[in-house]
Amino acid sequence: MINKKPMLESNLGQEHWNNKYTQQNMAPTYPVSYITDFAFKNFKPGGRVLDLGCGMGRHVKFLAQFGFDAFGCDYSSQGVLHTKELLNSSGLKADVREADMLELPYDDEYFDGLISYGVLFYAKDEVEIKKALSEVYRVLKKGGSAFFQVRNLEDDRYKQAIKKSKYIAVANQIEGRIGFLENGIQNYYFDEEEVKRLFGIFDKIEINYIKRSYDNESYRISYYLIGIWK
């Protein structure tokens, strides 16, 4: 059973995401390999899986395409619309709805698995992150697992940013580099200690990372790939 709950305000308003998702060139086509790797390894065929912050729908499409009971939610109505159009054009079905990660419209222990790609670091502070993770814990079944991608302190976007605290920074990237279009937007960055502290409500945490350099290694992006089990 799915409950309807009121929307809460987040770090970035719905207008920001709606504007972003109306741009067709912002729509990535293929699922990210480490999402698919985690799903095939940890989610059972036919299991109920939520893409939390589904954006324009590529990972919801992947879940539906490969036999999972696919769900998606996003703060942006335009993202939800685009996801539904993507599914319809591919002859696929999923439950997709507008929702805030701070108060998910699903019953307790509803999902077997969950993915969240590039979402959590837009929370405005640790209070929101804890709230979002407590919602994930609530809707995830006992024995379920989830995957998160977050930015870490080794990322050059953090090093170039205007620091508000150790983990909170406002984007201040130079033109031509990844992150320039986010200038003025606040992000939450992690180190391993912060991951363990904030994700500590889960029974098991696995932390891996991925780094990529650009322009003859003149700058790089860096993420933690976090697996959690309840």
Side-chain angles (χ1 to χ4, degrees):
M1 181 178 180
I2 298 176
N3 295 323
K4 292 185 177 180
K5 295 184 179 180
M7 301 287 289
L8 301 180
E9 185 176 357
S10 188
N11 173 34
L12 293 172
Q14 289 176 309
E15 183 178 359
H16 168 86
W17 296 112
N18 285 338
N19 289 339
K20 178 178 179 178
Y21 293 146
T22 54
Q23 304 174 44
Q24 292 300 314
N25 63 349
M26 296 298 294
T29 304
Y30 298 105
V32 176
S33 62
Y34 41 82
I35 295 283
T36 61
D37 290 347
F38 188 90
F40 288 135
K41 182 178 180 180
N42 294 283
F43 303 153
K44 294 180 180 179
R48 190 181 288 158
V49 182
L50 172 67
D51 182 0
L52 173 56
C54 63
M56 301 181 85
R58 59 174 163 165
H59 292 123
V60 178
K61 178 185 176 183
F62 154 73
L63 292 170
Q65 197 169 24
F66 284 89
F68 300 103
D69 186 5
F71 287 71
C73 66
D74 199 273
Y75 193 54
S76 164
S77 58
Q78 284 297 318
V80 169
L81 177 62
H82 193 282
T83 299
K84 290 180 177 180
E85 290 175 346
L86 179 65
L87 291 164
N88 288 336
S89 68
S90 303
L92 298 168
K93 293 183 179 180
D95 184 304
V96 184
R97 60 188 58 223
E98 189 177 339
D100 193 312
M101 67 179 179
L102 303 180
E103 195 162 4
L104 296 175
Y106 309 104
D107 280 353
D108 297 354
E109 299 193 0
Y110 193 72
F111 294 104
D112 300 288
L114 182 146
I115 59 175
S116 184
Y117 174 78
V119 176
L120 198 61
F121 50 75
Y122 288 112
K124 67 181 180 181
D125 53 30
E126 71 169 77
V127 173
E128 282 199 349
I129 291 174
K130 287 179 177 179
K131 175 59 177 172
L133 291 176
S134 71
E135 281 292 275
V136 171
Y137 188 91
R138 181 183 65 79
V139 302
L140 198 62
K141 292 179 181 178
K142 183 66 177 177
S145 59
F147 175 93
F148 294 84
Q149 180 226 45
V150 300
R151 298 177 187 175
N152 64 44
L153 300 187
E154 297 301 312
D155 196 303
D156 279 358
R157 288 169 292 187
Y158 172 78
K159 295 176 182 179
Q160 298 295 327
I162 300 167
K163 311 299 188 300
K164 296 180 69 175
S165 68
K166 180 178 181 180
Y167 299 115
I168 298 174
V170 178
N172 187 38
Q173 188 61 277
I174 65 174
E175 189 170 2
R177 291 187 175 181
I178 291 176
F180 173 73
L181 295 179
E182 286 194 348
N183 278 358
I185 293 175
Q186 177 178 294
N187 294 142
Y188 201 99
Y189 292 83
F190 293 77
D191 56 17
E192 286 197 24
E193 180 181 349
E194 189 70 348
V195 171
K196 292 175 182 178
R197 185 176 74 88
L198 293 177
F199 285 79
I201 60 174
F202 296 96
D203 293 345
K204 178 185 174 183
I205 307 170
E206 180 179 279
I207 306 171
N208 295 298
Y209 70 87
I210 185 168
K211 297 179 181 179
R212 183 174 178 180
S213 63
Y214 295 86
D215 296 344
N216 292 315
E217 299 188 349
S218 61
Y219 73 103
R220 66 184 179 183
I221 60 174
S222 186
Y223 297 100
Y224 284 133
L225 310 179
I226 305 167
I228 59 92
W229 288 262
K230 179 179 175 181

